[in-house]
């Protein structure tokens, strides 16, 4: 009985891990944006370098009495480089591999072809890293399927988590260094401020002493 229970545990535990991991593989974000007629709306995500990003967007219109409104789209890197830009469209997609670590910004705005004049809705599907990988192509190219494919996905998830941890570790080190430099500058500024205050006090004291002696008050 004990051997049978161990056997069931040994089989069910890997299956549970694979099922839990499959939830991580679908970590792409489906975002619903309500876009005002006269304002821009943006979404942003902090991504480290060498990460694949895929996105699809489409305008959803509830007003069937007018043509579907068109929008403009612009995607920029943390240093302001334009990665994707398009206008006068009701749907589109973009893909890129990051070469800068930081916040990537995707902005949408109505480009003027909105006869209804009201707010419009945009469905944005944003995928990064392991969620953006085409596993069907991988399975077809390497001729793998079933558990072997799931294990390959698990390997990708583990590698992605490891890369994220390394990125967070580096960011922590950068922030710690920046904090140390800031504290050092604040300390020097405090010392300089104290020195200036002491110097001004001494000058005032000497001036008042000279003034009182000139007036023969002391």
């Amino acid at each position: 009985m004990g051997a049978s229970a161990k056997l069931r545990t040994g089989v069910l535990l890997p299956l549970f891990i694979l099922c839990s991991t499959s939830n991580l593989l679908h970590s792409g974000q489906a975002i619903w944006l309500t876009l005002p007629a006269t304002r821009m709306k943006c979404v942003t995500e902090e991504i480290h370098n060498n990460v694949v990003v895929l996105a699809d967007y489409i305008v959803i219109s509830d007003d069937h009495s007018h043509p579907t409104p068109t929008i403009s789209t612009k995607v920029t890197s943390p240093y302001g480089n334009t990665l994707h830009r398009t206008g006068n469209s009701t749907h589109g997609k973009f893909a890129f591999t990051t070469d800068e670590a930081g916040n990537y910004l995707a902005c949408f705005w109505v480009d003027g072809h909105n006869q209804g004049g009201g707010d419009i809705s945009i469905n944005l599907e944003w995928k990064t890293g392991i969620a953006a990988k085409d596993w069907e192509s991988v399975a077809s190219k390497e001729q793998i399927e079933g558990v072997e494919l799931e294990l390959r996905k698990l390997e990708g998830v583990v590698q992605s988590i490891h890369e994220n941890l390394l990125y967070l570790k580096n960011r922590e080190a950068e922030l710690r260094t920046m904090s140390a430099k800031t504290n050092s500058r604040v300390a020097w500024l405090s010392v300089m401020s104290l020195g200036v205050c002491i110097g001004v006090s001494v000058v005032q004291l000497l001036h008042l002493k000279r003034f009182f002696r000139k007036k023969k008050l002391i």
Side-chain angles (χ1 to χ4, degrees):
M1 183 69 179
S4 177
K6 290 181 179 179
L7 178 60
R8 287 198 299 270
T9 302
V11 173
L12 292 177
L13 183 57
L15 291 177
F16 173 75
I17 294 174
L18 290 176
C19 291
S20 301
T21 305
S22 65
N23 294 328
L24 296 176
L25 296 174
H26 299 89
S27 59
Q29 304 176 24
I31 305 172
W32 189 270
L33 298 175
T34 299
L35 188 61
T38 58
R39 291 210 317 259
M40 177 188 295
K41 183 163 287 189
C42 302
V43 294
T44 182
E45 182 176 358
E46 185 176 0
I47 312 174
H48 56 84
N49 59 344
N50 200 28
V51 173
V52 177
V53 179
L54 297 176
D56 293 277
Y57 58 91
I58 184 171
V59 176
I60 307 296
S61 177
D62 295 329
D63 186 4
H64 300 291
S65 61
H66 296 95
T68 303
T70 58
I71 61 171
S72 295
T73 309
K74 183 179 181 181
V75 182
T76 55
S77 70
Y79 293 101
N81 299 319
T82 301
L83 304 175
H84 171 79
R85 183 162 190 169
T86 185
N88 194 25
S89 63
T90 58
H91 63 278
K93 61 177 61 178
F94 54 85
F96 58 89
T97 301
T98 61
D99 54 5
E100 304 167 4
N103 290 315
Y104 284 78
L105 193 67
C107 295
F108 304 87
W109 66 94
V110 179
D111 59 9
H113 302 284
N114 183 11
Q115 297 182 8
D119 297 348
I120 63 175
S121 300
I122 302 175
N123 184 28
L124 172 65
E125 187 174 359
W126 180 280
K127 296 181 180 180
T128 60
I130 195 70
K133 194 167 185 176
D134 188 357
W135 289 107
E136 293 183 359
S137 298
V138 173
S140 176
K141 182 179 180 180
E142 301 185 12
Q143 297 181 352
I144 57 177
E145 59 182 7
V147 176
E148 188 176 0
L149 178 59
E150 294 300 323
L151 289 174
R152 181 62 62 85
K153 293 179 181 180
L154 177 60
E155 181 183 0
V157 170
V158 172
Q159 183 178 358
S160 176
I161 293 174
H162 179 67
E163 291 174 355
N164 286 332
L165 289 176
L166 290 178
Y167 172 71
L168 292 175
K169 183 178 179 180
N170 292 333
R171 286 287 294 166
E172 181 185 5
E174 291 175 2
L175 292 176
R176 188 163 52 245
T177 301
M178 185 182 300
S179 178
K181 289 182 179 179
T182 302
N183 291 336
S184 176
R185 292 174 181 175
V186 170
W188 277 108
L189 181 61
S190 300
V191 172
M192 290 177 61
S193 300
L194 181 60
V196 170
C197 291
I198 293 175
V200 171
S201 299
V202 170
V203 171
Q204 289 180 341
L205 181 61
L206 294 176
H207 176 74
L208 289 175
K209 187 175 181 181
R210 189 181 302 110
F211 175 79
F212 288 141
R213 283 181 175 177
K214 186 177 181 180
K215 296 295 184 180
K216 298 181 180 180
L217 298 177
I218 55 175

